[in-house]
Structure formats: C-alpha cells, structure tokens
Amino acid sequence: MKILLVDDSKTMRTIQRRVLETLGPGTDILEAADGFEALSVLASVGGKVDLALVDWNMPNMDGITFVQRVREKDKTTPLVMCTTESEKDRVIAAAKAGISGYVVKPFEGPALLEKIKQVIAKSKAA
C-alpha cells in the first residue's frame, strides 16, 4: 500500500507516519510539504497512490487546491483532509472538492487509523 502524506509540518508527518506504520509491513509512505510538492511526488509514482492524507493550510499550494487538481484527473484515489479547519463551511467545501474523509487535528492515533481503514474499505467496495 502506498500512502502520501501532505503537510507542511514535519512533526505532523512524523506523527502520521508512526500511526500508519501500524498498518504493517508493505506500507510505503511518501511525504510532501505542500500541494505543489505533492503533485510532483504523485507524478513520480505514475500519478497513483492508495491514499493521501492532506492538510488544508500549507504554503505554495493549499490542500483544497491540491485535492481539486488531483480530482481533475483522478476521481477514485481516497483523499483524506487532515486539518485544524473544523468549521461546517470548510467541511462542505472539502466535500465538494472531492475528499473521501475528514479528520480534525488534533487527533488520536487510533481515530486516524480507523478513519483511514474506513476510507480504504469504502474505496475498495466501490
């Protein structure tokens, strides 16, 4: 399984990586510090990952723009917004952009893992 972490905070990516490593061996975790870098990382792997965790607020290209760019070409890859933005209008905007799940920071590791498992299971069932 290939997972892309998109967050400008190295600390947050480290926390997310530690949670995702509990998924077991065979989990390949890629990282990007903003949406622009994430598009480059995606291109380097042929445009396909099994899941991306995306922060909203980042320099250069924010998470919602990244989601919109990905959805222009790919409607199926699970994209989970992982952000401090919890206002209803933000959640609705992210849903309209095409996210598959939404996690509000700060989060507990088990809650993040459960959301990821739900999103992956839903994408496999589709």
Side-chain angles (χ1 to χ4, degrees), residues 1-7 9-33 37-38 41-42 44-45 48-54 112-113 116 120:
M1 177 180 311
K2 194 171 292 185
I3 299 176
L4 174 60
L5 305 178
V6 188
D7 198 305
S9 168
K10 175 71 175 160
T11 301
M12 182 53 64
R13 292 194 313 266
T14 299
I15 292 168
Q16 292 171 335
R17 174 180 286 275
R18 288 183 182 148
V19 171
L20 294 170
E21 286 173 344
T22 65
L23 290 171
T27 303
D28 184 15
I29 301 173
L30 309 168
E31 295 186 24
E37 183 180 353
V41 171
L42 268 178
S44 74
V45 294
K48 195 68 180 168
V49 293
D50 297 296
L51 176 91
L53 279 181
V54 184
L112 177 62
L113 200 55
I116 289 168
I120 290 173

Side-chain angles (χ1 to χ4, degrees), residues 15-79:
I15 292 168
Q16 292 171 335
R17 174 180 286 275
R18 288 183 182 148
V19 171
L20 294 170
E21 286 173 344
T22 65
L23 290 171
T27 303
D28 184 15
I29 301 173
L30 309 168
E31 295 186 24
D34 60 50
F36 187 74
E37 183 180 353
L39 290 174
S40 294
V41 171
L42 268 178
S44 74
V45 294
K48 195 68 180 168
V49 293
D50 297 296
L51 176 91
L53 279 181
V54 184
D55 186 20
W56 189 301
N57 298 305
M58 298 179 288
N60 303 318
M61 180 187 292
D62 63 22
I64 199 74
T65 302
F66 170 76
V67 168
Q68 292 167 338
R69 289 278 196 77
V70 170
R71 289 298 184 231
E72 289 172 0
K73 297 179 181 176
D74 175 5
K75 305 289 186 200
T76 61
T77 297
L79 303 173

